[in-house]
Amino acid sequence: MEIKRVANKGVLRKCNLEGFNFQIDPYFGCEHLCEYCYGLNRARFDWEKQVLIYEDLVKELSRELDVFPPQTIYIGMNCDPYQPAEKKFEQTRETLLLLSGKGFSASLLTKGVLATRDIELLKKIPDASIGTSLAFLEEGTRRLFEKNSPPNIERMEMLGEMKNAGIETYTLICPVMPFITEVPGLIELAAPYSDTIWVYPLKFESTKDPNWQKVSKILEKNFPDLVEKFTTIVFSENHYYWDDLREELEKINKEIKANIRMEF
Ligand code: SF4
């Protein structure tokens, strides 16, 4: 993977997630290369070959932040802030240090276990939170879609260390792939380590999405019997598959009180 430095043309971006005004992606691109990655649809270069890092990240970001009151910034919408490049380039750590110094807080999403390096820093940032995502219970299936990311168990160990340190944690069960993602099993795995569990379905805007094309190739090769019904569900406005899943998860939520939030 080539790591290329580029000019910083504004790294503080508007965030559409509820509860956040702004997001920061300390990298542009992601070495984890998950086949379903939504960020791929926004890429203007070849993610398979390059990750971009920003020149003068801290200087420019500092200038951008100065016009806003302190608040919590979301980190990790379009890249993984603890992808392997972070070990050497420390763009995420520098971002956290800057935010903390200016009285801002951060909520991070990562599959990268390198996050534990920053536990002491996160402990000092009021209201900081960190989450990870899970989509496949079975390791062989996980590797088909997420071959470069750490296994589930390592993500849970990272989250457990954060929770033990008093940092708020969450897990996204995301993306839920019909008939493949074992949502109840993943909730059982994540519940001990997570203050909140969010469940998000797999979504694509159209069959032309590059990440749908990648996912459908994997389905055709490994789950040929599922392709038709999977495609119908993913591209339906409403499908009873989601109603049935919602009902099942509501029951689980009552039983184990896992603070499950369903985004479908
Ligand atoms: S870790 Fe996240 S940002 Fe990176 S490729 Fe996977 S889904 Fe995309």
Side-chain angles (χ1 to χ4, degrees):
M1 186 69 80
E2 183 195 359
I3 309 287
K4 193 174 160 193
R5 287 185 188 272
V6 293
N8 184 346
K9 291 185 183 155
V11 72
L12 189 68
R13 304 266 159 85
K14 288 265 174 216
C15 182
N16 292 328
L17 283 184
E18 197 186 321
F20 301 93
N21 295 319
F22 296 103
Q23 65 191 50
I24 294 171
D25 283 297
Y27 295 87
F28 202 178
C30 184
E31 293 168 276
H32 287 155
L33 291 173
C34 306
E35 306 287 349
Y36 52 76
C37 179
Y38 303 130
L40 262 182
N41 287 344
R42 301 178 187 104
R44 274 170 256 127
F45 59 95
D46 188 348
W47 272 34
E48 305 272 340
K49 298 196 176 114
Q50 284 184 331
V51 170
L52 311 186
I53 61 174
Y54 300 100
E55 283 169 353
D56 292 335
L57 173 80
V58 168
K59 194 171 148 205
E60 290 300 318
L61 188 52
S62 174
R63 195 180 48 77
E64 289 180 78
L65 288 170
D66 277 344
V67 294
F68 297 108
Q71 56 196 287
T72 303
I73 308 288
Y74 191 80
I75 301 179
M77 179 69 83
N78 295 317
C79 77
D80 193 313
Y82 289 105
Q83 59 184 288
E86 171 62 14
K87 191 166 186 183
K88 178 171 178 193
F89 295 100
E90 299 198 352
Q91 301 272 286
T92 299
R93 186 171 171 81
E94 286 186 21
T95 300
L96 289 174
L97 285 165
L98 177 70
L99 291 174
S100 150
K102 288 181 176 292
F104 283 71
S105 186
S107 181
L108 300 111
L109 176 64
T110 181
K111 293 184 177 89
V113 294
L114 180 62
T116 52
R117 179 200 66 190
D118 289 340
I119 280 187
E120 290 307 314
L121 173 55
L122 288 168
K123 272 165 69 176
K124 290 183 196 139
I125 302 178
D127 301 324
S129 62
I130 187 160
T132 192
S133 65
L134 302 172
F136 310 100
L137 196 54
E138 203 269 315
E139 180 61 11
T141 308
R142 188 196 68 73
R143 269 195 244 107
L144 291 174
F145 293 96
E146 304 176 338
K147 60 180 180 298
N148 292 345
S149 305
N152 292 349
I153 190 67
E154 292 182 20
R155 298 180 210 175
M156 290 296 102
E157 282 167 5
M158 178 275 288
L159 216 57
E161 282 189 53
M162 295 286 176
K163 194 166 162 59
N164 288 341
I167 298 159
E168 189 183 333
T169 58
Y170 62 93
T171 294
L172 305 187
I173 309 293
C174 176
V176 175
M177 296 199 181
F179 310 109
I180 294 177
T181 302
E182 296 170 66
V183 184
L186 290 170
I187 287 175
E188 194 182 326
L189 174 66
Y193 310 104
S194 314
D195 294 313
T196 311
I197 298 175
W198 299 85
V199 185
Y200 286 86
L202 181 72
K203 274 188 186 162
F204 297 103
E205 282 171 14
S206 86
T207 51
K208 290 192 183 128
D209 282 358
N211 41 344
W212 164 249
Q213 284 161 17
K214 287 178 157 196
V215 167
S216 60
K217 262 191 206 143
I218 296 173
L219 292 176
E220 278 158 21
K221 188 168 171 203
N222 299 279
F223 305 95
D225 298 343
L226 289 183
V227 174
E228 198 179 330
K229 52 187 183 175
F230 186 108
T231 310
T232 303
I233 294 168
V234 167
F235 288 100
S236 296
E237 276 288 309
N238 294 303
H239 194 282
Y240 64 84
Y241 181 88
W242 303 113
D243 298 332
D244 292 349
L245 181 61
R246 194 178 300 108
E247 208 175 298
E248 186 181 7
L249 298 188
E250 278 165 3
K251 270 191 209 146
I252 293 174
N253 209 12
K254 273 190 194 140
E255 280 164 26
I256 66 170
K257 298 194 175 28
N259 198 14
I260 301 169
R261 312 277 181 91
M262 288 168 254
E263 291 293 307
F264 58 92

